Amino acid sequence: MQIVKDEGPITGEQIAEKLNLTRATLRPDLAILTMAGFLDARPRVGYFYVGKTANQLFVEHVRKLKVKDYKSRPVVVTEELSVYDAICTMFLEDVGTLFVVKDGGRLAGVVSRKDLLKIALGKQDLQAIPVSVVMTRMPNIITCSQEDTLYEAASKLMRNQVDALPVVRPMEDGEGLEVVGRITKTTITKAFVELGQESVL
Amino acid sequence: MQIVKDEGPITGEQIAEKLNLTRATLRPDLAILTMAGFLDARPRVGYFYVGKTANQLFVEHVRKLKVKDYKSRPVVVTEELSVYDAICTMFLEDVGTLFVVKDGGRLAGVVSRKDLLKIALGKQDLQAIPVSVVMTRMPNIITCSQEDTLYEAASKLMRNQVDALPVVRPMEDGEGLEVVGRITKTTITKAFVELGQESVL
């Protein structure tokens, strides 16, 4: 492995020469190292060091998870909905974040439990205030796309201190974003639990 | 590997015999399989199958993380605090869950943003209602302890559909539980991000 690490790509014959062994003696060892994922071999090129430690394989495994496989259904409302009805919608749909859309699906805002709690503190008539007053608006909305990794989405949740991201794609007319899913801290917690139970028989 | 799996513990000589090979020919292969963690060897016993696939190592890695290494500071309030002040405390402390204590630290309840939003919907005077009216009470509180794994805590969050768990230990007088930390979906999301970046250089 050290030889391949230092001098790869290198052929089996060259390695055998360096070790004063025959190619035939070496073959099974190289086969095992390749099977185990430490080395890789390419025809007419030779062996090269892949260098995947268990830890690197692990990181790759985490980063392989995709938003599109974990996203849940988005709950959308329109801008005119009252704060009161928005809170009711959250309870009925059992979500902590609503996505506000206009023009038949274009993302306009995001409203969280935190936004609604803040306005509820104000002793105003919650039925008279539209969610558009309290929502976070484009272009300040942190989004992700279906092809993103779950790792990228989780990093965004942490970095931007939000509880949920809308999963979006460009609208068909090219203007703005369509909401096609949601990724929340609950999604990530669920994925974490799956990682911890994956091969349990 | 199949031989060791089926018949282990088995000595190198016995394996060599089965394969019609000499012990010397086999030795380097066994050494590599042992190094790679697929087999283990004990003197005078022989080789046995450890059976740790990359996936199993991975699961073990996730399950090694402990609550005590990830818990954050709990934010505690007393039962008499008004709902209004509880909401303010949440904003000031930037948390989504408060733990309610009595008798100098004994866990009495848990109050979430969801609990507070529900009461805020009722058009009552939020300054006149104590949090004890809206909180989840003992013994219905889902808790975890410092020695639990993060995996167990995450599983509890999912299974019980809560956003946070108080990390508790028995009170010194033996009656009830003292709150020493909190684990939330944010904690788990942070741990997930760490898993995905661990060996990045």
Side-chain angles (χ1 to χ4, degrees):
Chain A
M1 268 175 68
Q2 196 58 47
I3 292 170
V4 179
K5 211 166 171 178
D6 294 341
E7 311 187 25
I10 182 170
T11 65
E13 250 155 57
Q14 290 169 320
I15 303 171
E17 216 167 88
K18 281 184 177 285
L19 293 170
N20 277 324
L21 293 170
T22 66
R23 174 87 181 80
T25 307
L26 202 59
R27 190 173 292 132
D29 293 344
L30 288 172
I32 288 177
L33 288 172
T34 306
M35 262 172 44
F38 296 115
L39 301 184
D40 203 351
R42 279 204 207 117
R44 277 187 296 274
V45 175
Y47 292 90
F48 53 95
Y49 183 66
V50 183
K52 291 195 182 162
T53 62
N55 203 25
Q56 281 170 300
L57 288 170
F58 180 82
V59 165
E60 268 180 31
H61 182 66
V62 172
R63 294 201 181 195
K64 228 166 25 201
L65 311 177
K66 292 280 192 182
V67 162
K68 66 166 176 283
D69 299 321
Y70 283 87
K71 71 181 163 65
S72 42
R73 192 179 53 87
V75 178
V76 301
V77 300
T78 57
E79 293 182 287
E80 304 77 34
L81 192 79
S82 72
V83 165
Y84 185 93
D85 288 341
I87 298 175
C88 293
T89 304
M90 274 189 183
F91 279 102
L92 286 171
E93 300 276 356
D94 196 24
V95 294
T97 305
L98 302 173
F99 303 124
V100 184
V101 297
K102 58 182 176 183
D103 312 335
R106 210 182 309 275
L107 178 62
V110 170
V111 62
S112 68
R113 277 193 195 126
K114 209 168 158 182
D115 297 325
L116 296 173
L117 256 188
K118 196 183 287 173
I119 189 85
L121 215 50
K123 293 179 189 184
Q124 300 159 76
D125 180 1
L126 300 183
Q127 273 162 326
I129 308 167
V131 283
S132 57
V133 171
V134 300
M135 72 188 188
T136 300
R137 288 171 176 281
M138 286 295 282
N140 299 321
I141 302 171
I142 315 296
T143 66
C144 66
S145 75
Q146 312 227 52
E147 294 310 315
D148 286 348
T149 65
L150 208 53
Y151 167 75
E152 289 168 311
S155 303
K156 280 186 183 180
L157 288 170
M158 291 306 298
R159 198 165 52 240
N160 299 285
Q161 299 185 34
V162 291
D163 285 331
L165 301 176
V167 184
V168 298
R169 66 177 169 211
M171 288 285 282
E172 272 181 22
D173 63 8
E175 303 245 326
L177 299 167
E178 181 187 358
V179 185
V180 295
R182 75 179 205 279
I183 293 287
T184 68
K185 287 177 181 169
T186 304
T187 318
I188 307 297
T189 303
K190 188 165 157 258
F192 181 91
V193 171
E194 282 178 23
L195 290 177
Q197 65 190 181
E198 213 145 89
S199 71
V200 176
L201 302 173
Chain B
M1 269 175 68
Q2 196 59 47
I3 291 170
V4 179
K5 211 167 171 177
D6 293 343
E7 312 188 21
I10 181 169
T11 65
E13 250 156 58
Q14 289 170 316
I15 303 171
E17 215 167 89
K18 281 186 177 283
L19 294 171
N20 277 324
L21 294 171
T22 67
R23 174 86 181 82
T25 308
L26 203 58
R27 190 173 292 131
D29 293 342
L30 288 170
I32 288 178
L33 288 171
T34 307
M35 260 172 48
F38 296 116
L39 302 183
D40 204 351
R42 280 206 204 113
R44 278 188 295 276
V45 174
Y47 292 90
F48 54 94
Y49 182 66
V50 183
K52 289 194 184 165
T53 61
N55 202 26
Q56 280 171 300
L57 289 169
F58 181 82
V59 165
E60 268 179 31
H61 182 67
V62 171
R63 295 202 180 193
K64 227 165 27 200
L65 311 176
K66 292 280 194 183
V67 161
K68 65 165 176 284
D69 299 321
Y70 283 86
K71 70 181 164 65
S72 43
R73 191 180 53 86
V75 178
V76 301
V77 300
T78 57
E79 293 182 288
E80 303 77 35
L81 192 78
S82 72
V83 164
Y84 185 93
D85 288 341
I87 298 174
C88 294
T89 304
M90 274 190 183
F91 279 102
L92 287 171
E93 301 276 357
D94 196 23
V95 293
T97 306
L98 302 174
F99 302 124
V100 184
V101 297
K102 58 182 177 184
D103 313 334
R106 208 182 310 277
L107 179 62
V110 171
V111 62
S112 68
R113 278 194 193 124
K114 208 167 157 181
D115 298 325
L116 296 173
L117 256 187
K118 197 183 285 173
I119 190 87
L121 215 49
K123 294 179 188 182
Q124 300 161 74
D125 180 2
L126 300 182
Q127 272 162 327
I129 310 167
V131 282
S132 58
V133 171
V134 300
M135 73 188 188
T136 299
R137 287 170 177 282
M138 285 296 281
N140 299 321
I141 302 172
I142 315 295
T143 66
C144 66
S145 75
Q146 312 227 53
E147 295 309 315
D148 286 347
T149 65
L150 208 53
Y151 167 76
E152 290 168 311
S155 303
K156 279 186 185 180
L157 289 170
M158 291 306 298
R159 201 166 49 238
N160 299 286
Q161 299 185 34
V162 291
D163 286 331
L165 301 176
V167 183
V168 297
R169 64 177 170 213
M171 287 286 283
E172 271 181 22
D173 64 8
E175 303 245 326
L177 300 167
E178 181 186 359
V179 184
V180 294
R182 77 179 204 279
I183 293 286
T184 69
K185 286 177 181 169
T186 305
T187 319
I188 307 298
T189 303
K190 187 164 157 261
F192 181 91
V193 171
E194 282 179 22
L195 290 178
Q197 64 190 180
E198 214 144 90
S199 71
V200 177
L201 301 174

